[in-house]
Amino acid sequence: MSSDEGGGVGAGLGAGSAGRGLWVEEPARRRRMPDSVRTSAVRAVLIVAVTLTQATITFFLTLTGSWLSLPMGLGAIAGTIVATWGVLDVWITRQTWNQRYGVLSEPSSTARSRRKEARRAARAAREASAGRIPREDGPLAASGRSSAR
């Protein structure tokens, strides 16, 4: 094995390692979660972890026949309800964030081409109306102004 293949003690000290730095940035696979969603996710993970720990302790207290198993069992049931709420909170917060901030209002190529087509049609209509012979009995005839161009 040569020193460039990274096997020995001085593997990183060879001439081949001059082009590669110690820290190599890799692009993220997914975008970072928004702060509000991340906060609720951390809260939910902590609540679920405490609830699972409490349920495990309740199980062992029940096996030993301790008097603490009943209050811990009730606490584990309450913890399960709170943990369910925590997970639903993450989902609701994520949906709310997506509805408020998730849509980028940039015109797409389809919208741009439709606007361009509408402008062409309006221009063609104006050019077509410019070639008309003005009517003498039109709405502006009484005021002395006519639409002749």
Side-chain angles (χ1 to χ4, degrees), residues 25-108:
E25 287 282 334
E26 291 184 6
R29 288 183 216 162
R30 293 184 348 186
R31 288 189 347 225
R32 182 176 166 163
M33 282 192 292
D35 287 339
S36 58
V37 178
R38 194 170 58 246
T39 302
S40 63
V42 168
R43 186 184 319 122
V45 166
L46 291 175
I47 291 171
V48 168
V50 167
T51 302
L52 287 175
T53 304
Q54 191 175 15
T56 304
I57 292 171
T58 302
F59 173 72
F60 287 127
L61 286 174
T62 304
L63 284 181
T64 59
S66 174
W67 65 273
L68 285 175
S69 63
L70 179 64
M72 287 291 284
L74 294 175
I77 291 171
T80 303
I81 293 169
V82 172
T84 304
W85 168 81
V87 172
L88 283 175
D89 182 44
V90 174
W91 183 65
I92 291 169
T93 307
R94 183 171 172 264
Q95 293 297 325
T96 304
W97 194 93
N98 280 336
Q99 285 180 0
R100 286 184 185 163
Y101 310 109
V103 178
L104 298 175
S105 60
E106 296 175 355
S108 65

Side-chain angles (χ1 to χ4, degrees), residues 132 134-147:
R132 287 191 351 213
R135 291 179 51 186
E136 296 297 327
D137 61 341
L140 299 177
S143 65
R145 296 183 298 179
S146 64
S147 60

Side-chain angles (χ1 to χ4, degrees), residues 107-128:
S108 65
S109 59
T110 305
R112 200 173 295 123
S113 65
R114 280 187 170 172
R115 282 198 320 262
K116 193 180 288 186
E117 186 176 317
R119 281 194 301 261
R120 275 193 212 122
R123 190 179 308 123
R126 278 195 311 269
E127 290 172 0

